[in-house]
């Protein structure tokens, strides 16, 4: 049943994509469009945002004047219907009215999006340039995910301000004419009361915003983004060590911290009140009228104050635009949303590489072969050879990232400590335990075994010291030893029915520290072990050696 639904969804998505492609092809073949497009693209790409805002403002004033005139003519519609007079002109005016408002809405959103893109690029360039002249401590202590979120929020809100300013400019002519009409029809007192209500709502709204902890809300939302980014930057480590629950837990904690700012009843009450009173202004104006209440005047006031149809059109356009962008974004992440059920074979009979098996990367012309060997359960293997021959490719094959070009390979429960020592932007404790319950005494016991204990004790916050983004507060050797301790804890945790792969685990260590690390691995390892290395020291704890030469693997011991 699920397969049928998936197939139907895929067919529907395929049809929509084909329709979109056919429409785009038709547009691309249009001669008029092909003549206009170069100038159109040049305008969008090269025009300064200030020039765009000025052009948009001028068009807004012109549009506002046209809109005001059209609205005045529309106000005659009820009287003309009553009198039985020809109504073609007001109906045409109504069409123009909606067209003008629709066009202004599109222009306003376009200006906003263009302003956002220009401003975001400018701030990113400024921020990146700052890194080359700023204090190194600033860089170490800066979360790029938070900074990106802050820049994005600033640009988005500034672009919105530009859009609102543009909309205000559009309404200025209509507000002026509306004020004159209110004074003429309902009296000057009614106009003063309307102005007083608008000023009150403005102050009321400002107070409602000011008391809602905007700064804390921004920081909480930014934290969610940079923790999500930090998880993704260390996704290989989290994935290969099976630490999914830890990653989800730390993100949930950040989300819970931001959630308390999402449901702000006071703020919603304030703006709900503003909307309620604002929607009542036309009726209030008419009820307090002391002037000449003719049909044209009342109709004009109600229509000018409501903008119901204009708002509906704007909402529909925004909805369509948003859905389109959402679908485009979704198309890029569909691959990440497909969960693969992990099914493992028992390791007890080992993993056999027969001579017919070949493997390599899909985008590479190089195919790796082997002379036939077997990885037996409980044994330790070291894989040696020159760089670029395919040692890490073999590791990716064992862990399941790659599939053989020909032949099959058994899929066993595998943990992979790769050569890039990824560190979370979190504490030393989190980077070692990933949420597992390991006592401080136990942690320092193993830290001392790899000469890291004194370093951690000397830090102001000890095990709770944050390592910074990508572990910038630790040296490459320190990060590598932390990476090794992750594998050690995993070896202690797992039984002998799994495979542990260590990729260049001691490449950044001095000889004395390397001996300590190798001795520790030798004592605690009870899993099947594959070590990829170009160093000699770790060979002493392995039982077998596999050598790769000219992209061919062969077992020599």
């Amino acid at each position: 049943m699920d397969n049928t639904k998936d197939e139907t969804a895929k067919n529907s998505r395929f049809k929509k994509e084909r329709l979109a492609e056919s429409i785009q092809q038709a547009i691309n073949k249009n001669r008029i469009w092909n003549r206009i497009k170069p100038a159109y693209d040049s305008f969008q790409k090269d025009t300064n945002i200030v020039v765009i805002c000025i052009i948009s403002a001028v068009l807004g004033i012109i549009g506002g004047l046209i809109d005001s005139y059209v609205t005045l003519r529309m106000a005659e519609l009820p009287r003309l219907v009553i009198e039985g007079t020809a109504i073609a002109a007001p109906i045409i005016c109504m069409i123009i009215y909606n067209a003008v408002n629709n066009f202004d809405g599109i222009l306003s959103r376009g200006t906003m999006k263009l302003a956002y893109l220009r401003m975001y690029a400018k701030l990113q360039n400024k921020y990146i340039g700052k890194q080359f002249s700023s204090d190194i401590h600033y860089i170490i202590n800066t979360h790029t995910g938070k900074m990106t979120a802050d820049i994005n929020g600033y640009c988005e809100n500034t672009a919105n301000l530009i859009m609102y300013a543009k909309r205000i400019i559009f309404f200025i002519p209509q507000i002026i004419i509306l004020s004159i009409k209110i004074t003429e029809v309902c009296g000057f007192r009614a106009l003063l009361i309307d102005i007083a209500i608008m000023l009150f709502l403005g102050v009321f709204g400002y107070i409602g915003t000011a008391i809602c902890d905007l700064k804390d809300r921004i920081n909480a939302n930014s934290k969610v983004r940079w923790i999500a980014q930090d998880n993704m930057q260390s996704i290989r480590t989290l994935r290969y060590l099976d630490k999914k629950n830890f990653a989800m837990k730390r993100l949930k904690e950040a989300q819970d911290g931001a959630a308390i700012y999402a449901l702000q009843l006071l703020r919603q009450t304030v703006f709900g009140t503003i909307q309620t009173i604002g929607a009542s202004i036309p009726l209030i104006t008419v009820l307090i009228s002391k002037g000449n209440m003719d049909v044209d005047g009342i109709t004009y006031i109600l229509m000018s104050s409501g903008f119901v149809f204009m708002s509906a059109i704007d909402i529909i356009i925004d909805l369509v635009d948003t859905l389109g962008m959402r679908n485009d974004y979704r198309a890029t992440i569909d691959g990440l949303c497909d969960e693969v059920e992990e099914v493992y074979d028992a390791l007890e009979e080992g993993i056999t590489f027969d001579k017919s098996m070949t493997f390599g990367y899909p985008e590479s012309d190089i195919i790796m072969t082997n002379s036939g060997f077997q990885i037996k359960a409980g044994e330790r293997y070291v894989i040696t050879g020159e760089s670029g021959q395919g040692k890490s490719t073999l590791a990716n094959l064992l862990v399941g990232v790659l599939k053989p070009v020909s032949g099959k390979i058994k899929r066993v429960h595998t943990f992979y400590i790769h050569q890039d020592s990824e560190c979370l932007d979190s504490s030393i404790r989190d980077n070692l335990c990933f949420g597992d319950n390991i006592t401080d005494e136990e942690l320092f016991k193993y830290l001392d075994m790899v000469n890291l204990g004194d370093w951690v004790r000397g830090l102001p916050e000890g095990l709770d010291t944050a390592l910074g983004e990508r572990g910038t507060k630790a040296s490459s050797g320190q990060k590598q030893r932390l990476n090794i301790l992750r594998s050690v804890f995993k070896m202690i945790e797992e039984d002998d029915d799994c495979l542990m792969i260590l990729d260049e685990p001691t490449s950044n260590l001095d000889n004395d520290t390397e001996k300590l690390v190798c001795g520790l691995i030798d004592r605690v390892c009870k899993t099947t072990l594959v070590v990829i290395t170009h160093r000699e020291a770790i060979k002493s704890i392995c039982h077998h050696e596999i050598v790769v030469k000219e992209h061919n693997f062969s077992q020599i011991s």
Side-chain angles (χ1 to χ4, degrees), residues 438-449:
I438 303 176
T439 65
D440 290 4
E441 183 181 359
E442 189 79 358
L443 287 174
F444 276 111
K445 170 186 170 183
Y446 286 99
L447 286 167
D448 287 332
M449 289 182 184

Side-chain angles (χ1 to χ4, degrees), residues 310-330:
M310 180 207 71
S311 299
I313 290 172
D314 278 352
I315 291 170
I316 292 170
I317 294 172
D318 281 339
L319 180 61
V320 172
D321 201 18
T322 302
L323 285 173
M325 287 191 293
R326 176 185 176 276
N327 291 337
D328 288 341
Y329 280 125
R330 182 59 186 268

Side-chain angles (χ1 to χ4, degrees), residues 53 56 127 243 255 437:
C53 289
S56 181
Y127 173 66
K243 298 299 181 181
Q255 289 171 333
N437 187 20

Side-chain angles (χ1 to χ4, degrees), residues 227 231 238 243-252:
I227 284 185
N231 278 345
L238 294 167
K243 298 299 181 181
K244 171 184 173 182
N245 290 339
F246 170 76
M248 296 178 70
K249 179 183 176 183
R250 70 193 294 248
L251 181 58
K252 184 179 183 301

Side-chain angles (χ1 to χ4, degrees), residues 138-151:
Y138 170 83
I139 300 173
I140 290 174
N141 290 291
T142 298
H143 309 294
T144 58
K146 184 182 185 305
M147 180 60 71
T148 300
D150 289 343
I151 290 176

Side-chain angles (χ1 to χ4, degrees), residues 395-504:
N396 284 323
L397 183 73
L398 290 169
V399 82
V401 174
L402 290 178
K403 294 183 179 179
V405 175
S406 63
K408 293 183 178 180
I409 186 171
K410 181 189 288 188
R411 183 79 170 92
V412 301
H413 203 191
T414 305
F415 301 100
Y416 181 22
I417 304 294
H418 54 88
Q419 56 187 314
D420 296 327
S421 302
E422 294 177 338
C423 287
L424 297 168
D425 188 1
S426 190
S427 66
I428 294 174
R429 188 193 311 277
D430 282 346
N431 273 280
L432 288 174
C433 304
F434 295 101
D436 294 338
N437 187 20
I438 303 176
T439 65
D440 290 4
E441 183 181 359
E442 189 79 358
L443 287 174
F444 276 111
K445 170 186 170 183
Y446 286 99
L447 286 167
D448 287 332
M449 289 182 184
V450 293
N451 282 347
L452 284 179
D454 291 341
W455 169 62
V456 176
R457 291 186 186 93
L459 295 172
E461 298 180 68
L463 289 167
D464 294 317
T465 301
L467 288 177
E469 193 167 33
R470 294 183 176 273
T472 51
K473 295 181 182 179
S475 69
S476 57
Q478 289 167 336
K479 286 191 287 187
Q480 190 163 56
R481 278 174 281 173
L482 291 174
N483 206 26
I484 290 166
L485 288 181
R486 293 169 175 171
S487 68
V488 167
F489 292 142
K490 203 66 185 175
M491 290 173 185
I492 296 171
E493 178 185 333
E494 298 295 328
D495 56 29
D496 57 2
D497 193 42
C498 71
L499 173 66
M500 178 70 70
I501 303 174
L502 305 181
D503 192 351
E504 299 287 4

Side-chain angles (χ1 to χ4, degrees), residues 4-249:
T4 304
K5 289 182 179 179
D6 291 343
E7 196 65 33
T8 303
K10 287 180 181 178
N11 290 337
S12 176
R13 187 165 63 245
F14 177 73
K15 289 178 180 178
K16 291 178 181 178
E17 290 173 356
R18 289 296 300 272
L19 177 61
E21 288 175 6
S22 62
I23 292 173
Q24 187 63 53
Q25 288 173 2
I27 293 173
N28 292 339
K29 291 178 181 178
N30 186 280
R31 293 182 180 180
I32 298 176
W33 173 245
N34 285 329
R35 290 181 180 179
I36 297 174
K37 192 174 186 301
Y40 175 77
D41 291 341
S42 177
F43 175 80
Q44 293 190 98
K45 183 177 69 174
D46 301 325
T47 307
N48 185 283
I49 188 60
V50 175
V51 175
I52 293 172
C53 289
I54 291 172
I55 294 173
S56 181
V58 171
L59 291 175
I61 293 173
I62 296 172
L65 289 170
I66 295 172
D67 202 14
S68 300
Y69 171 76
V70 171
T71 307
L72 283 170
R73 295 301 307 273
M74 286 176 64
E76 301 175 6
L77 185 58
R79 179 174 54 79
L80 294 173
V81 171
I82 294 171
E83 295 173 356
T85 312
I87 60 173
I91 290 177
I92 293 173
C93 285
M94 183 181 292
I95 294 171
I96 297 173
Y97 170 83
N98 284 287
V100 169
N101 280 289
N102 190 15
F103 173 74
D104 178 68
I106 294 171
L107 188 62
S108 297
R109 284 187 296 274
T111 304
M112 177 193 70
K113 290 177 183 177
L114 198 55
Y116 169 81
L117 291 172
R118 296 290 170 80
M119 194 172 302
Y120 190 82
K122 182 178 179 180
L123 285 180
Q124 280 285 2
N125 289 337
K126 180 180 178 181
Y127 173 66
I128 292 171
K130 184 178 180 181
Q131 305 313 302
F132 291 93
S133 59
S134 63
D135 190 320
I136 188 65
H137 295 290
Y138 170 83
I139 300 173
I140 290 174
N141 290 291
T142 298
H143 309 294
T144 58
K146 184 182 185 305
M147 180 60 71
T148 300
D150 289 343
I151 290 176
N152 182 75
Y154 174 78
C155 293
E156 187 173 328
N157 283 283
T158 305
N160 282 331
L161 285 175
I162 291 174
M163 182 189 72
Y164 293 138
K166 165 67 179 60
R167 297 295 284 163
I168 289 172
I169 290 171
F170 181 88
F171 290 136
I172 285 175
Q174 195 156 13
I175 290 171
I176 293 171
I177 297 175
L178 177 61
S179 299
I180 295 171
K181 199 71 176 179
I182 289 175
T183 305
E184 177 186 327
V185 176
C186 301
F188 187 66
R189 190 184 69 166
L191 176 62
L192 292 178
I193 292 174
D194 284 349
I195 293 174
I197 292 174
M198 296 300 295
L199 290 175
F200 167 76
L201 293 180
V203 174
F204 191 51
Y206 177 79
I207 294 172
T209 301
I211 60 179
C212 288
D213 301 321
L214 286 179
K215 181 67 176 178
D216 292 339
R217 184 175 68 179
I218 290 170
N219 288 335
N221 289 332
S222 294
K223 185 177 181 180
V224 173
R225 295 192 183 188
W226 71 255
I227 284 185
Q229 177 176 299
D230 192 46
N231 278 345
M232 293 305 292
Q233 286 177 340
S234 301
I235 194 66
R236 289 189 299 175
T237 294
L238 294 167
R239 171 75 180 270
Y240 293 153
L241 288 176
D242 195 19
K243 298 299 181 181
K244 171 184 173 182
N245 290 339
F246 170 76
M248 296 178 70
K249 179 183 176 183

